[in-house]
Amino acid sequence: MKESLPSSGDALLAQLAALANPHRLRIVAALHQGGRRYVSQLAREIGISRPLLHLHLAKLEEAGLVASRLELSADGKALNYFEASDFALTLTPAAIAIAAASLTPKSET
């Protein structure tokens, strides 16, 4: 497992925001514990609808926390498989200071 800082403060914020949701934590846990899954299977396991799962998976994938791959089943169906990416976040004051220095200037609300 790689232990490194995200490439920027913005990337760190995206990862933290992606993990700041109970459904997304459950998704990462399920993919870590049980390996890769296709969307319908994962939706049943987590207990949420496929459209809602797609929204959460998109947020996790944008942050680099999960990866997807489209594959054809034996009967010719396209199945979108997801798996947890190999990541480790170590938050220390020094790591946060480095990340904060690279944040994109935005107006704060």
Side-chain angles (χ1 to χ4, degrees):
M1 184 178 309
K2 65 180 180 180
E3 281 198 44
S4 63
L5 289 174
S7 59
S8 70
D10 296 334
L12 176 60
L13 284 177
Q15 288 179 334
L16 293 174
L19 292 170
N21 179 285
H23 288 308
R24 292 193 287 264
L25 285 179
R26 288 184 189 102
I27 291 165
V28 172
L31 292 173
H32 169 72
Q33 293 167 343
R36 71 186 196 119
R37 304 276 203 307
Y38 61 93
V39 171
S40 295
Q41 179 184 22
L42 187 57
R44 284 190 300 273
E45 288 178 26
I46 302 292
I48 61 176
S49 69
R50 286 188 327 205
L52 181 58
L53 178 60
H54 274 288
L55 291 172
H56 288 301
L57 285 168
K59 184 86 167 171
L60 289 166
E61 193 166 28
E62 276 178 30
L65 302 174
V66 302
S68 67
R69 188 170 63 212
L70 195 59
E71 295 181 15
L72 290 178
S73 67
D75 62 356
K77 284 187 200 174
L79 298 174
N80 199 7
Y81 282 91
F82 283 85
E83 62 187 351
S85 297
D86 192 20
F87 70 91
L89 294 175
T90 304
L91 292 178
T92 63
I96 291 170
I98 292 167
S102 67
L103 286 170
T104 302
K106 297 179 183 173
S107 60
E108 308 236 350
T109 54

